[in-house]
Amino acid sequence: MALRFPIYLDNHATTPLDPRVLEAMLPYFTEKFGNASSRQHQFGWEAEAGVELARKQIAELINANPKEIIFTSGATESINLALKGTALAYSDKKNHIITTQIEHKATLDTCKRLEKMGFKIDYVPVDRYGLVDPDEIKKRITPETILVSVMFANNEIGTIEPIEEIGKICAERGVLFHTDAAQALGKIPIDVQKLNIDLMSISAHKIYGPKGVGALFIKKKTPKIKIIPIIDGGGHEGGLRSGTLNVPGIVGFGEACKIAKAEMEEEAKRTKYLRDKLQNEIMKKLEDVYLNGHPVNRLPNNLNLSFFGVESEAIFMGMKEVALSSGSACSSTSVEKSHVLKAIGLNDDLISSAIRFGIGRFNTEEEIDYVIDRIVEVVKHLRDISPKYKLRKETTKF
Ligand SMILES: *Cc1c(COP(=O)(O)O)cnc(C)c1O
């Protein structure tokens, strides 16, 4: 089969919409256009039925109750609601939040805002693979601690965190536990009950659903988790997130979760096979290539490599027919170096030569074979024309 260009290998930034998801959404743009809050007529009932089916489909993927799903505009909003919402709700008695140094900016920037508002935030370091030590979390919990927020899987290096251990610690200490599962959802199994997760942020566009839709899982428990809403209005979503629901988007999110539940296991095997091939072939054909992230506890579709001696920007320019990234899409407009790669202890040279490959549902083995050949070619060429490469190789320690 002929290759089609450009090849998309940036599936951590966003994923293409699955045609089946589009199919499910389309009627909700046209004949089923009702407002899900309209209780008096069929248009409203149809829209509401679409929303409630989606709530059930999402809940089923994570072993939750549909009543525990609150729709938002994406994981960023869900994270804001979870962190600010609980911080404000418990601020009369407590003022402390624990998170990690490798969180997505949605978490880190929310925490910075909370710091400005007077909350105390601990940013727990990670090891060289990006793993958080649950004991480091445990040590920092005080009677003042409201919430622990640790991402399920990292969006740059794919490292999967010890969520079950952290959930257990939080449950034992009576501290709320939030996880940002935007990258983990639909890629690896998530059971919010088994993992003792109280709050979880998820997003549709990372799992072949539409952009601008997400959800916050809020565990129903006693005592009830208190959250002060960020958006007030008509009292939608149990008063926690007002605003007319994005019905087509929500329906698409539900369908995306249904597909993920049915196909995740197979898909993880397939993307892992392609990922491993990409990694092994590149490392076989090029020297001085380093894996960033955990060699085993890592998302099956993630590969993050540093190509010593070349700038990732130069590699991108050399192979514009492949969509790649140096890391987080959300900070790629700034010149700021990846805080994740910094946190795992990489030196500046290896940070600026890092490339993230995100393999997705629609990538083929032919595409991976093509990318292997091209990256080897481009890196060899860049190293050949770099008088510095040999010198740096001899003098740099890492
Ligand atoms: C994409 C992503 C987000 C933000 O999700 P949006 O739905 O785009 O707001 C948050 N955290 C992680 C880990 C992500 O990968």
Side-chain angles (χ1 to χ4, degrees):
M1 219 176 73
L3 284 173
R4 284 185 35 201
F5 296 102
I7 293 169
Y8 189 71
L9 266 193
D10 198 13
N11 285 280
H12 297 294
T14 193
T15 53
L17 197 75
D18 189 303
R20 294 169 289 181
V21 172
L22 178 63
E23 199 63 34
M25 291 170 70
L26 285 175
Y28 293 88
F29 285 108
T30 52
E31 68 264 28
K32 300 187 187 185
F33 62 84
N35 185 325
S37 315
S38 296
R39 293 279 145 76
Q40 295 82 13
H41 49 70
Q42 173 145 2
F43 296 93
W45 303 331
E46 272 172 357
E48 193 195 12
V51 167
E52 293 317 314
L53 174 63
R55 215 185 288 280
K56 192 161 158 274
Q57 291 166 322
I58 295 163
E60 276 171 1
L61 180 57
I62 60 172
N63 195 25
N65 184 313
K67 294 195 180 85
E68 297 173 316
I69 306 295
I70 298 296
F71 287 112
T72 67
S73 66
T76 300
E77 187 190 329
S78 301
I79 292 165
N80 271 266
L81 181 56
L83 270 56
K84 291 175 182 164
T86 54
L88 294 176
Y90 293 93
S91 63
D92 53 339
K93 295 198 189 74
K94 304 174 179 187
N95 72 339
H96 179 226
I97 287 173
I98 300 170
T99 187
T100 80
Q101 293 180 356
I102 60 159
E103 299 296 310
H104 190 275
K105 289 286 179 191
T107 297
L108 293 176
D109 288 354
T110 299
C111 285
K112 276 187 210 140
R113 180 81 59 200
L114 287 168
E115 266 180 310
K116 284 195 188 121
M117 292 164 70
F119 291 92
K120 277 184 12 206
I121 318 281
D122 264 325
Y123 301 90
V124 178
V126 294
D127 70 8
R128 58 190 285 235
Y129 302 115
L131 279 177
V132 180
D133 180 355
D135 283 336
E136 289 295 317
I137 304 273
K138 196 177 189 170
K139 272 199 286 193
R140 286 170 170 83
I141 294 176
T142 73
E144 302 291 302
T145 308
I146 298 168
L147 174 96
V148 169
S149 186
V150 176
M151 70 197 319
F152 209 116
N154 185 266
N155 48 299
E156 292 189 37
I157 55 176
T159 300
I160 300 166
E161 300 299 340
I163 294 302
E164 185 163 11
E165 287 89 327
I166 298 168
K168 193 158 166 269
I169 290 167
C170 292
E172 281 166 8
R173 301 291 298 271
V175 172
L176 293 174
F177 178 39
H178 168 256
T179 185
D180 167 4
Q183 291 293 338
L185 185 76
K187 313 291 171 17
I188 53 174
I190 299 178
D191 181 331
V192 290
Q193 296 187 45
K194 182 169 161 243
L195 301 175
N196 277 307
I197 294 166
D198 292 312
L199 299 147
M200 185 166 82
S201 295
I202 51 180
S203 180
H205 76 99
K206 304 284 173 74
I207 61 158
Y208 311 95
K211 291 164 188 57
V213 194
L216 178 64
F217 158 80
I218 307 174
K219 186 181 194 144
K220 292 252 180 259
K221 61 186 222 177
T222 27
K224 193 166 171 268
I225 297 174
K226 290 191 282 179
I227 295 186
I228 306 263
I230 299 173
I231 301 177
D232 291 301
H236 306 75
E237 299 297 273
L240 285 171
R241 204 283 189 175
S242 288
T244 302
L245 293 181
N246 173 1
V247 178
I250 288 168
V251 167
F253 192 9
E255 183 69 17
C257 287
K258 182 185 137 197
I259 296 169
K261 189 170 163 59
E263 300 178 3
M264 179 165 59
E265 212 180 311
E266 273 306 301
E267 189 168 293
K269 269 190 212 146
R270 206 182 69 85
T271 54
K272 183 177 182 300
Y273 164 76
L274 295 177
R275 188 274 308 276
D276 289 346
K277 183 173 191 187
L278 187 59
Q279 175 181 338
N280 294 336
E281 291 298 312
I282 290 173
M283 287 186 146
K284 207 160 71 190
K285 292 173 176 161
L286 287 173
E287 52 181 17
D288 296 324
V289 178
Y290 303 92
L291 175 69
N292 302 318
H294 197 282
V296 180
N297 292 336
R298 165 166 64 122
L299 290 173
N301 63 331
N302 174 275
L303 178 63
N304 191 310
L305 298 174
S306 284
F307 296 85
F308 180 71
V310 294
E311 297 281 320
S312 55
E313 284 300 326
I315 300 176
F316 301 148
M317 289 304 114
M319 45 189 296
K320 287 185 183 144
E321 76 283 19
V322 183
L324 290 166
S325 158
S326 54
S328 156
C330 313
S331 56
S332 63
T333 45
S334 62
V335 287
E336 206 185 316
K337 287 219 158 75
S338 160
H339 65 282
V340 175
L341 299 180
K342 231 187 264 179
I344 63 171
L346 285 202
N347 66 36
D348 282 356
D349 283 342
L350 288 182
I351 292 177
S352 62
S353 72
I355 292 187
R356 178 184 68 180
F357 304 84
I359 296 165
R361 180 174 292 167
F362 303 109
N363 287 121
T364 63
E365 187 156 10
E366 290 74 26
E367 289 179 331
I368 299 302
D369 290 339
Y370 176 89
V371 172
I372 292 165
D373 288 347
R374 284 289 286 141
I375 199 132
V376 168
E377 182 183 17
V378 170
V379 170
K380 276 188 174 160
H381 171 71
L382 288 169
R383 283 176 174 173
D384 277 350
I385 60 169
S386 161
K388 276 194 199 156
Y389 174 61
K390 267 208 150 64
L391 185 69
R392 280 165 74 186
K393 223 188 116 179
E394 281 153 16
T395 55
T396 314
K397 276 214 191 102
F398 48 88

